[in-house]
């Protein structure tokens, strides 16, 4: 990794455990895994797990497997499998040869289920899903045994084999581990480990009529792969006794240890594949990679560099308690990276024409501009200047209030890297709208300084009209207008109507035409931007990644004070 993230110095409770296990000789190396279910696109929450699992492998010279937890064929698709691999790579991680699928273990998992049956540790249950739920009891009441709990081993084996061969319909029977219907932990009240699903699987086709549940498949897959530390989010804490029970009761080749950590939650967005799928399916957004989506593909398309995500994950750290990270912190992490890495360019998003009346007609020149004040190695570039320019409409006021220091009638300002100009005349259309400013320039101020020490109070960005590249620019705001979408009601009711603003006819300095998706740039005074994948050679489209300052937090603070 060639960026400035500092994960090699990271320490946290999981890394402490791993260090101890290596020091004590319990393990001679580490094997971790990132185990997505291919039922949707990855979101920024997943990057916490990715950075943790792959990060630990990197730091300890171990390995991290990418394992698709593909046990639910009704929701899984090849499209998701491909997108997940693309996203993990983009984030900067590499599983090498270690690409696995739980479906590759179906035969072994099945054999172990028969082993459980033979040992009297599992039984086929004919109760319906609803009945099983009713028999399960509650947190305060013990469960009741199913009438099928004490089926003889031979009958269980026979039925289980017939389940496999497709003799029964979905939901007609299940295989359950026989543990303890009175356990204080509901997960141990004879959990279902196999269910009938007459569904084609993206990888195994119609070979199977039964599929293992997550709880059964996960730990055993970990064991098969000799995972040393199986790191997962807190909701699995109560499943750990079941995880351990299965490892103990099966002849698995290794005994991985499950350790839980708090998931990443981010304000003003939703991090759940189910909810994100709904946004896509119901057309609230323009696909999984809509730049407003918290998916890794949306974040990438918007132009966020992957280092910013790693930066966020490192800053958030690991905890055992759930919390919500303010979206503003993510934006801070993006700015921190881009301030160092993005070059500066000039673009005008809401153009107002300026004619320099004393600039010779039909001529032009090139002026030198600094590419990055943070990085002298980034050098300079030449920017065309001419008689007609565009400035930002907001940078002019005909009748300015006291604190407005930018251009106004009779006032002199600096054009960045160019000259001082003075506004002499305001041209309006029939509706009274300002359509053009007529200004004069002072040739002696070339480069932006006055030899006589004259001061101006503002420096504006600008683009030469004759050379400008026309572009569409998409400005994004939070997808949701509340911090916790769905806190009271349906989360889609909290979608913001202002999350996308499209500006057409924006004017770019010509060098911006050379930028391609995956590159980032600062538009001076406006924010960080990146070309969208909708861009064509003739019609560039730029996304605003993030503004320069956190105007959003400031506005919210003002609202709160009101
Ligand atoms: P979702 O709730 O979005 O559907 P999931 O947990 O069902 O997510 P999986 O594909 O099962 O999605 O997740 C793969 C791995 O990523 C799991 O180990 C899971 O714990 C982890 N993970 C998922 N969401 C987060 C999150 N918000 N923060 C940290 N880790 C996460
Ligand atoms: Mg899951």
């Amino acid at each position: 990794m060639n960026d400035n993230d500092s994960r090699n110095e990271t320490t946290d409770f999981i890394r402490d455990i791993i260090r101890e296990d290596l020091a004590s000789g319990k393990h001679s190396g580490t094997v971790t895994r990132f185990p997505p279910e291919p039922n949707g696109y990855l979101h920024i929450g997943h990057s916490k797990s990715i950075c943790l699992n792959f990060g630990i492998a990197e730091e300890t010279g171990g390995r991290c497997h990418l394992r698709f937890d593909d046990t639910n064929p009704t929701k899984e698709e090849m499209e998701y499998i491909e997108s997940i691999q693309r996203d993990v790579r983009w984030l900067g991680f590499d599983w090498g040869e270690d690409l696995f699928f739980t479906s590759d273990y179906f035969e072994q998992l099945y054999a172990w289920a028969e082993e459980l049956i033979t040992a009297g540790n599992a039984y086929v249950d004919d109760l319906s899903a609803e009945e099983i739920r009713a028999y399960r009891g509650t947190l305060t009441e013990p469960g009741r045994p199913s009438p099928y709990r004490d089926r003889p081993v031979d009958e269980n084996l026979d039925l289980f084999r017939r389940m496999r061969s497709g003799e029964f319909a979905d939901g007609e029977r299940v295989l359950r581990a026989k543990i303890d219907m009175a356990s204080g932990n509901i997960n141990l009240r004879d959990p279902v480990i196999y269910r009938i699903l007459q569904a084609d699987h993206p990888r195994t086709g119609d070979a199977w009529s039964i599929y293992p549940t997550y709880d059964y498949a996960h730990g055993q897959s970990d064991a098969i792969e000799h995972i040393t530390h199986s790191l997962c989010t807190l909701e699995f804490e109560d499943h750990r006794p079941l995880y351990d029970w299965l490892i103990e009761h099966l002849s698995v080749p290794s005994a991985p240890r499950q350790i839980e950590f708090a998931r990443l939650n981010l304000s003003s967005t939703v991090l759940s594949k189910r909810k994100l799928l709904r946004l896509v399916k119901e057309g609230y957004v323009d696909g999984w990679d809509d730049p407003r989506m918290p998916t890794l593909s949306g974040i990438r398309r918007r132009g966020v560099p992957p280092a910013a995500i790693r930066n966020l994950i490192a800053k958030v750290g690991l905890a055992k308690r759930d919390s919500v990270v303010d979206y503003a912190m993510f934006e801070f992490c993006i700015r921190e990276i881009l301030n160092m890495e993005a070059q500066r360019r000039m673009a005008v998003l809401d153009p107002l024409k300026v004619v320099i009346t004393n600039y010779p007609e039909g001529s032009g020149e090139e002026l030198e501009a600094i590419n990055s004040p943070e990085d002298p190695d980034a050098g300079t570039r030449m920017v065309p200047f001419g008689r007609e320019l565009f400035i930002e409409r907001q940078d002019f006021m005909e009748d300015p209030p006291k604190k407005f220091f930018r251009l106004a009638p009779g006032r002199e300002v600096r054009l960045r890297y160019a000259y001082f100009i003075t506004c002499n005349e305001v041209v309006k259309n029939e509706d009274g709208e300002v359509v053009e400013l007529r200004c004069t320039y002072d040739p002696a101020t070339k480069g932006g300084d006055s030899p006589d020490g004259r001061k101006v109070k503002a420096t504006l960005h600008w683009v030469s009209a004759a050379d400008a590249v026309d572009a569409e620019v998409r400005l994004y705001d939070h997808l949701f207008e509340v911090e916790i979408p769905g806190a009271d009601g349906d989360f889609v009711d909290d979608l913001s109507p202002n999350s996308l603003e499209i500006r057409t006819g924006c004017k770019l300095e010509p060098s911006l035409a050379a930028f391609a998706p995956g590159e980032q740039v600062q538009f001076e005074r406006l924010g960080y931007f990146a070309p969208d994948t909708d861009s064509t050679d003739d019609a560039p489209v730029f996304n605003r990644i993030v503004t320069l300052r956190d105007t959003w937090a400031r506005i919210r603070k003002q609202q709160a004070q009101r």
Side-chain angles (χ1 to χ4, degrees):
M1 294 268 116
N2 58 353
D3 45 73
N4 48 4
D5 49 12
S6 56
R7 61 183 169 213
N8 289 337
E9 300 134 39
T10 342
T11 191
D12 51 59
F13 75 98
I14 291 182
R15 286 174 166 89
D16 287 345
I17 292 173
I18 289 173
R19 246 173 245 129
E20 265 165 44
D21 286 350
L22 291 174
S24 72
K26 181 175 177 197
H27 294 293
S28 56
T30 54
V31 188
T32 54
R33 86 286 170 266
F34 172 62
E37 186 184 351
N39 59 350
Y41 280 59
L42 295 181
H43 51 65
I44 189 167
H46 290 109
S47 37
K48 184 170 182 181
S49 177
I50 297 170
C51 290
L52 177 66
N53 282 295
F54 282 95
I56 285 172
E58 265 177 25
E59 292 155 29
T60 57
R63 285 162 38 187
C64 180
H65 297 181
L66 175 61
R67 183 201 312 147
F68 286 99
D69 207 346
D70 54 347
T71 55
N72 187 354
T74 59
K75 292 190 178 154
E76 295 162 4
E77 290 175 26
M78 284 313 274
E79 179 195 348
Y80 300 144
I81 291 177
E82 282 154 20
S83 77
I84 289 169
Q85 298 189 47
R86 197 161 55 231
D87 289 347
V88 174
R89 275 206 198 92
W90 172 71
L91 208 49
F93 299 102
D94 183 6
W95 53 90
E97 310 268 279
D98 297 314
L99 175 64
F100 300 100
F101 293 83
T102 301
S103 55
D104 290 340
Y105 311 139
F106 280 172
E107 204 56 61
Q108 174 66 73
L109 293 170
Y110 176 84
W112 278 331
E114 287 209 354
E115 192 181 304
L116 281 179
I117 295 173
T118 308
N121 288 324
Y123 60 96
V124 172
D125 197 346
D126 299 358
L127 293 184
S128 67
E130 214 168 292
E131 288 165 325
I132 289 178
R133 216 171 300 126
Y135 274 72
R136 191 171 282 141
T138 63
L139 284 173
T140 50
E141 265 174 62
R144 281 175 294 141
S146 160
Y148 304 98
R149 195 171 197 263
D150 292 318
R151 261 186 170 138
V153 167
D154 286 349
E155 194 180 321
N156 280 322
L157 267 184
D158 174 59
L159 283 170
F160 189 49
R161 286 172 187 165
R162 286 160 62 196
M163 280 168 62
R164 174 180 182 162
S165 69
E167 210 177 302
F168 309 119
D170 289 7
E172 227 176 291
R173 292 191 162 78
V174 292
L175 184 70
R176 298 177 72 176
K178 192 171 179 177
I179 307 181
D180 179 4
M181 287 308 291
S183 171
N185 184 335
I186 293 182
N187 293 298
L188 293 179
R189 294 184 189 169
D190 293 8
V192 172
I193 59 176
Y194 266 93
R195 62 221 192 279
I196 300 170
L197 272 178
Q198 305 287 357
D200 274 10
H201 185 283
R203 298 188 78 247
T204 59
D206 62 1
W208 292 87
S209 300
I210 53 172
Y211 291 94
T213 56
Y214 173 89
D215 277 330
Y216 177 68
H218 199 85
Q220 284 33 264
S221 302
D222 285 344
I224 291 171
E225 293 176 18
H226 293 267
I227 300 298
T228 54
H229 301 86
S230 179
L231 312 176
C232 63
T233 35
L234 281 180
E235 69 269 25
F236 294 107
E237 194 167 16
D238 291 344
H239 297 235
R240 187 173 0 114
L242 174 56
Y243 185 101
D244 292 339
W245 186 92
L246 287 164
I247 296 281
E248 224 168 87
H249 287 79
L250 290 168
S251 56
V252 290
S254 76
R257 172 174 174 190
Q258 175 180 306
I259 307 171
E260 309 85 19
F261 62 93
R263 56 197 297 129
L264 175 69
N265 300 305
L266 208 52
S267 67
S268 307
T269 191
V270 290
L271 297 183
S272 143
K273 279 182 284 186
R274 187 176 50 79
K275 290 181 180 165
L276 296 173
L277 179 67
R278 190 167 155 214
L279 294 178
V280 173
K281 287 267 144 88
E282 295 179 16
Y284 292 108
V285 294
D286 184 24
W288 285 100
D289 70 344
D290 185 305
R292 294 166 294 177
M293 288 279 270
T295 52
L296 294 184
S297 44
I299 291 171
R300 171 174 59 234
R301 178 170 171 187
R302 176 130 160 200
V304 173
I309 297 179
R310 298 194 297 267
N311 188 8
L312 173 74
I313 300 302
K315 280 203 170 66
V316 167
L318 269 199
K320 270 230 160 232
R321 276 246 308 278
D322 274 317
S323 64
V324 180
V325 172
D326 197 320
Y327 199 91
M329 183 165 169
F330 181 35
E331 298 191 326
F332 174 84
C333 291
I334 299 172
R335 288 188 195 103
E336 198 170 58
I337 301 285
L338 291 182
N339 181 43
M340 300 306 296
E341 296 185 352
Q343 291 202 4
R344 276 56 166 170
R345 292 290 185 275
M346 290 194 287
V348 174
L349 303 191
D350 188 5
L352 174 60
K353 194 172 189 183
V354 168
V355 179
I356 313 283
T357 51
N358 62 338
Y359 196 86
E361 239 167 298
S363 72
E365 64 188 304
E366 297 213 311
L367 300 168
E368 191 173 22
I370 292 168
N371 285 331
S372 172
E374 302 293 333
D375 177 12
D377 292 342
T380 61
R381 69 187 184 285
M382 300 312 284
V383 184
F385 184 87
R387 191 167 190 272
E388 298 197 349
L389 310 167
F390 291 109
I391 64 165
E392 211 69 62
R393 188 165 283 278
Q394 274 191 19
D395 283 337
F396 171 79
M397 277 186 98
E398 194 175 9
D399 187 14
K402 235 182 166 180
K403 287 204 171 152
F404 186 89
F405 299 117
R406 291 166 275 165
L407 199 57
R411 190 180 287 174
E412 186 171 49
V413 297
R414 176 189 293 111
L415 293 182
R416 189 137 166 89
Y417 303 121
Y419 299 96
F420 286 9
I421 60 165
T422 304
C423 176
N424 306 306
E425 194 188 333
V426 180
V427 182
K428 295 182 184 174
N429 64 14
E430 296 143 17
D431 298 331
E433 292 163 351
V434 178
V435 291
E436 185 181 307
L437 303 178
R438 301 184 73 81
C439 303
T440 45
Y441 84 122
D442 176 359
T445 58
K446 182 166 177 170
D449 281 308
S450 159
D452 62 13
R454 212 158 77 238
K455 293 270 184 273
V456 288
K457 285 199 169 143
T459 302
L460 310 188
H461 62 275
W462 52 274
V463 171
S464 157
D467 307 276
V469 172
D470 276 340
E472 175 178 318
V473 175
R474 299 175 182 167
L475 306 178
Y476 302 103
D477 200 348
H478 293 281
L479 189 50
F480 293 91
E481 54 189 354
V482 299
E483 280 194 38
I484 314 284
D488 38 34
D490 192 352
F491 76 99
V492 296
D493 295 336
D494 293 327
L495 280 162
S496 165
N498 307 314
S499 58
L500 170 63
E501 182 188 342
I502 297 177
R503 297 272 183 94
T504 53
C506 302
K507 304 290 180 183
L508 311 182
E509 84 167 68
S511 66
L512 279 167
F515 281 76
E519 296 177 319
Q520 296 87 13
V521 61
Q522 183 191 112
F523 289 176
E524 295 218 19
R525 301 175 63 224
L526 297 174
Y528 294 101
F529 292 75
D532 187 76
T533 46
D534 281 347
S535 288
T536 64
D537 285 346
D538 303 329
V541 177
F542 275 79
N543 296 320
R544 184 173 67 199
I545 305 169
V546 66
T547 54
L548 288 183
R549 275 176 307 268
D550 187 2
T551 45
W552 174 74
R554 221 173 49 221
I555 290 165
R556 270 212 343 236
K557 212 162 155 195
Q558 285 165 0
Q559 280 171 348
Q561 282 163 357
R562 243 183 258 150

